[in-house]
Amino acid sequence: MSDSLSPAETIARARESKRGLQHLKPEKHGRIYWNLPPEAYVEEALFRREGLLARNGPLLVRSGEHTARAANDKFIVQEETSQDDVSWGEYNVPYPEENFQGIFERLKTYLEGKDLFIQDGFAGATAAHRLPVRIITTQAWQGLFSQNMFITPETQAGYRELEPEFTVISVPEFKGDPVRDALNSETFILLNFKEKLVLIGNTAYGGEIKKSVFTAMNYYLPKKGVLSMHCSANVSAEGDSALFFGLSGTGKTTLSADPKRKLIGDDEHGWDEEGIFNFEDGSYAKVINLSQDDEPDIYACTHSFGTLLENVIHDPLTREIDLFDDTITRNTRASYPLDCIEYALPEKCGDHPRHIVFLTFDASGVMPPLARLSPNQALYHFISGYTSKVGGTEAGVGDQPEVTFSACFGAPFMVFHPAKYAELLKEKINRHRVQTWLINTGLIGGPPGTGERISIQYTRALLTAALNGSLDQVSCSRDPYFGFEVPDRCPGVPPEILQPKTLWEDDEAYNQHYRSLVAKFIENFQRYQDGVPAEVKAAGPRLK
């Protein structure tokens, strides 16, 4: 960085916390920019040539080599305060404490003389359970991303008094040494619960910052008896809340964005004795193939100042963005504050939900588009977390959907055994008499190459009918494999859509694919047998 005056130089310390830098020595760095307003972040990003403005004002940036989460490069430091809590395995991979300290020391040396951007805020909309967080980064656009995503103090005094309890240091230019640092590559995401610190290197993908804080919430909240959830949420005019669980690409953001209901949040929530609350103040929406007709509100956000567009293609002459161009990645993203959505609920909290919806992208094309679940079936499907990975959300995922099971509909971010989260959910469902639904937003009529993705209009009609009670008195058919109830009719949806078998040309092919899917469910659930009650195991599917 040159010595010329940067746009935010005169206000760099206006919102400095009294706490100062806990983990780094400020006297050894360049300029430190504390909690800039969005306009200043944008100006700094342009000044530093980190991005450019698209038409109507959104900031366009590239995340570099990584356009998705580097799932194989995320580790949890194995130390005495948390090692007995963590469910070690595929997603919670242990990392030596001494290696963490080695990387951290080299990272601190690397940052000497570098300009830093610091964004303070909170994860959690309710004061009783919010986690004060601090994001330290070398890139202005990541500061804007962090401000969009986390809940920020309302006053300068609030910034000055904020004492962070969890810190993320993101340095995209810094590379690890796979041999010396015991890493899988030069990229790393290292979570240390004892130090309350995350180190991120060699990736600029914004989702790593967001999901690191989410992982922390999934560790701290269940210890307090609060359920942490990978879900979106909205509420009706009458105050009836609904939760939507699902992985990226299944429709959490799209289906919770309903002008007839107030949006609480689109991705991460907690559920305590008072009700549900959002962890964030923004959305990190997947925007590939985003349609103005089907999703007008989210589309409008992608064309607004303050929005950050990650890896979205644009016309260099007109600066018009092309949301259908996947030249860089199918995992194009938009980060924007929730108040960009006109019907977003400012307090980001709601009453105990009346409905829970599990969203799955069924790549087999055999599951019904809507099914009613019993409480035990709900827990079975919650622990299973069946869906398909789509569109490169994780590194290595191609264009074709891949069948997967992600416990609690968010296994990469869950720290405890899934049974712990399921037990908390069971207590909530039973106490508040919550009705649970399974919605397939994936294929119908056949597998990839033959089947087609179900129309969003049909999915919305099914969801509306489920939430407003229109299906309460409708007759149902019992699914022969899963045993859940499938409504025989729904306003605005052709009857054949409700029974996928009728859309297949070959009945035997349908049954073969369905039996194959059931076998995968049974095989997957075996890994959780020891921690799950017998009645939940019995609620799973059966092969005939």
Side-chain angles (χ1 to χ4, degrees):
M1 197 61 218
S2 69
D3 292 332
S4 59
L5 189 67
S6 70
E9 179 76 8
T10 57
I11 61 168
R13 295 187 178 276
R15 292 177 172 174
E16 180 177 357
S17 169
K18 289 181 179 179
R19 186 79 171 188
L21 284 177
Q22 298 170 274
H23 300 285
L24 305 173
K25 296 180 180 179
E27 67 274 7
K28 290 192 175 183
H29 301 104
R31 302 164 186 155
I32 300 179
Y33 298 85
W34 290 83
N35 301 306
L36 298 179
E39 295 82 2
Y41 274 129
V42 171
E43 290 169 348
E44 285 290 331
L46 297 176
F47 177 71
R48 295 162 190 270
R49 299 182 179 179
E50 296 175 2
L52 54 84
L53 287 182
R55 187 175 182 183
N56 298 316
L59 179 65
L60 289 163
V61 298
R62 302 282 178 89
S63 65
E65 175 187 356
H66 290 281
T67 59
R69 288 188 299 103
N72 292 330
D73 297 306
K74 175 187 173 184
F75 302 88
I76 295 179
V77 175
Q78 193 168 25
E79 41 78 22
E80 66 276 10
T81 69
S82 63
Q83 64 181 4
D84 293 337
D85 294 325
V86 178
S87 179
W88 302 105
E90 177 185 1
Y91 298 111
N92 298 321
V93 180
Y95 189 74
E97 195 170 6
E98 59 271 20
N99 288 94
F100 177 87
Q101 295 302 331
I103 288 183
F104 192 23
E105 290 304 316
R106 296 203 331 273
L107 181 61
K108 286 188 284 188
T109 300
Y110 173 84
L111 289 176
E112 291 182 6
K114 301 289 194 302
D115 290 356
L116 298 178
F117 294 88
I118 301 174
Q119 182 60 52
D120 291 332
F122 303 95
T126 178
H129 304 301
R130 62 175 32 176
L131 177 68
V133 298
R134 169 166 293 168
I135 313 301
I136 302 173
T137 180
T138 52
Q139 299 193 357
W141 76 260
Q142 288 204 330
L144 176 63
F145 172 86
S146 302
Q147 185 175 97
N148 280 348
M149 299 314 302
F150 300 111
I151 299 168
T152 56
E154 297 180 355
T155 64
Q156 291 195 28
Y159 277 112
R160 286 194 294 271
E161 298 298 328
L162 190 144
E163 296 187 8
E165 295 179 10
F166 195 81
T167 300
V168 178
I169 302 177
S170 174
V171 187
E173 316 86 46
F174 183 81
K175 297 182 178 182
D177 184 323
V179 176
R180 175 168 52 173
D181 299 324
L183 300 169
N184 293 327
S185 73
E186 294 178 326
T187 305
F188 57 87
I189 303 95
L190 308 177
L191 287 85
N192 190 324
F193 291 121
K194 183 172 74 173
E195 300 291 339
K196 298 183 178 180
L197 178 64
V198 178
L199 304 181
I200 300 175
N202 197 43
T203 172
Y205 180 63
E208 300 292 10
I209 295 174
K210 167 186 164 67
K211 291 306 185 185
S212 292
V213 174
F214 181 44
T215 303
M217 295 294 276
N218 288 327
Y219 176 68
Y220 295 121
L221 288 188
K223 283 176 162 288
K224 302 164 63 176
V226 178
L227 176 60
S228 53
M229 305 173 292
H230 188 212
C231 68
S232 59
N234 63 23
V235 60
S236 71
E238 293 74 33
D240 297 333
S241 299
L243 301 179
F244 305 80
F245 286 83
L247 296 186
S248 176
T250 57
K252 284 199 319 301
T253 298
T254 298
L255 294 176
S256 59
D258 182 349
K260 299 183 181 65
R261 299 171 66 90
K262 292 290 186 180
L263 177 66
I264 297 173
D266 82 325
D267 196 42
E268 303 168 5
H269 292 79
W271 190 350
D272 64 7
E273 294 300 310
E274 302 300 321
I276 57 176
F277 58 95
N278 194 354
F279 288 171
E280 301 178 304
D281 193 27
S283 175
Y284 189 48
K286 192 173 182 178
V287 294
I288 193 68
N289 298 332
L290 186 71
S291 164
Q292 185 175 13
D293 293 333
D294 291 338
E295 301 171 80
D297 303 291
I298 300 173
Y299 182 89
C301 292
T302 64
H303 291 71
S304 301
F305 180 83
T307 291
L308 185 71
L309 297 176
E310 198 173 349
N311 300 314
V312 171
I313 297 296
H314 74 287
D315 184 311
L317 180 62
T318 65
R319 297 293 178 94
E320 290 279 3
I321 61 173
D322 185 349
L323 297 176
F324 292 86
D325 192 326
D326 61 0
T327 301
I328 300 177
T329 177
R330 289 190 57 77
N331 191 37
T332 53
R333 294 279 174 167
S335 165
Y336 50 85
L338 278 181
D339 60 15
C340 183
I341 302 289
E342 183 179 353
Y343 47 85
L345 198 64
E347 55 267 35
K348 304 173 187 64
C349 297
D351 201 356
H352 302 287
R354 284 190 57 193
H355 297 272
I356 289 176
V357 179
F358 295 144
L359 301 170
T360 183
F361 185 108
D362 175 32
S364 301
V366 295
M367 297 194 81
L370 177 71
R372 181 189 286 115
L373 306 180
S374 70
N376 285 325
Q377 288 173 337
L379 294 176
Y380 181 92
H381 284 274
F382 176 69
I383 293 173
S384 297
Y386 166 64
T387 189
S388 302
K389 296 179 182 178
V390 292
T393 301
E394 291 183 12
V397 179
D399 291 339
Q400 290 299 317
E402 298 179 10
V403 171
T404 189
F405 293 88
S406 186
C408 311
F409 292 94
F413 324 116
M414 301 298 165
V415 181
F416 297 100
H417 188 282
K420 185 175 184 69
Y421 303 98
E423 184 62 30
L424 289 169
L425 180 62
K426 175 182 178 180
E427 188 274 333
K428 303 290 187 185
I429 288 177
N430 290 337
R431 186 197 300 187
H432 301 290
R433 299 182 180 180
V434 183
Q435 178 59 63
T436 307
W437 306 85
L438 181 69
I439 287 185
N440 170 25
T441 63
L443 304 183
I444 56 173
T450 303
E452 297 181 353
R453 188 163 191 180
I454 187 171
S455 162
I456 183 64
Q457 285 79 14
Y458 291 155
T459 299
R460 287 192 183 279
L462 288 163
L463 177 62
T464 298
L467 298 185
N468 67 19
S470 297
L471 301 180
D472 290 352
Q473 304 303 319
V474 169
S475 62
C476 295
S477 302
R478 190 169 296 279
D479 185 270
Y481 294 103
F482 283 92
F484 43 50
E485 295 180 338
V486 179
D488 294 325
R489 64 182 187 278
C490 176
V493 181
E496 62 270 18
I497 297 295
L498 297 171
Q499 299 293 338
K501 186 175 183 178
T502 62
L503 301 175
W504 283 61
E505 295 182 358
D506 186 336
D507 285 356
E508 182 55 32
Y510 169 84
N511 287 324
Q512 287 179 355
H513 278 81
Y514 214 163
R515 288 195 293 268
S516 175
L517 178 61
V518 169
K520 292 175 182 176
F521 264 87
I522 294 172
E523 179 183 8
N524 171 74
F525 206 79
Q526 289 177 353
R527 71 177 72 182
Y528 308 120
Q529 293 284 357
D530 293 341
V532 176
E535 62 270 21
V536 175
K537 299 176 191 176
R542 291 179 173 83
L543 280 172
K544 292 191 175 184

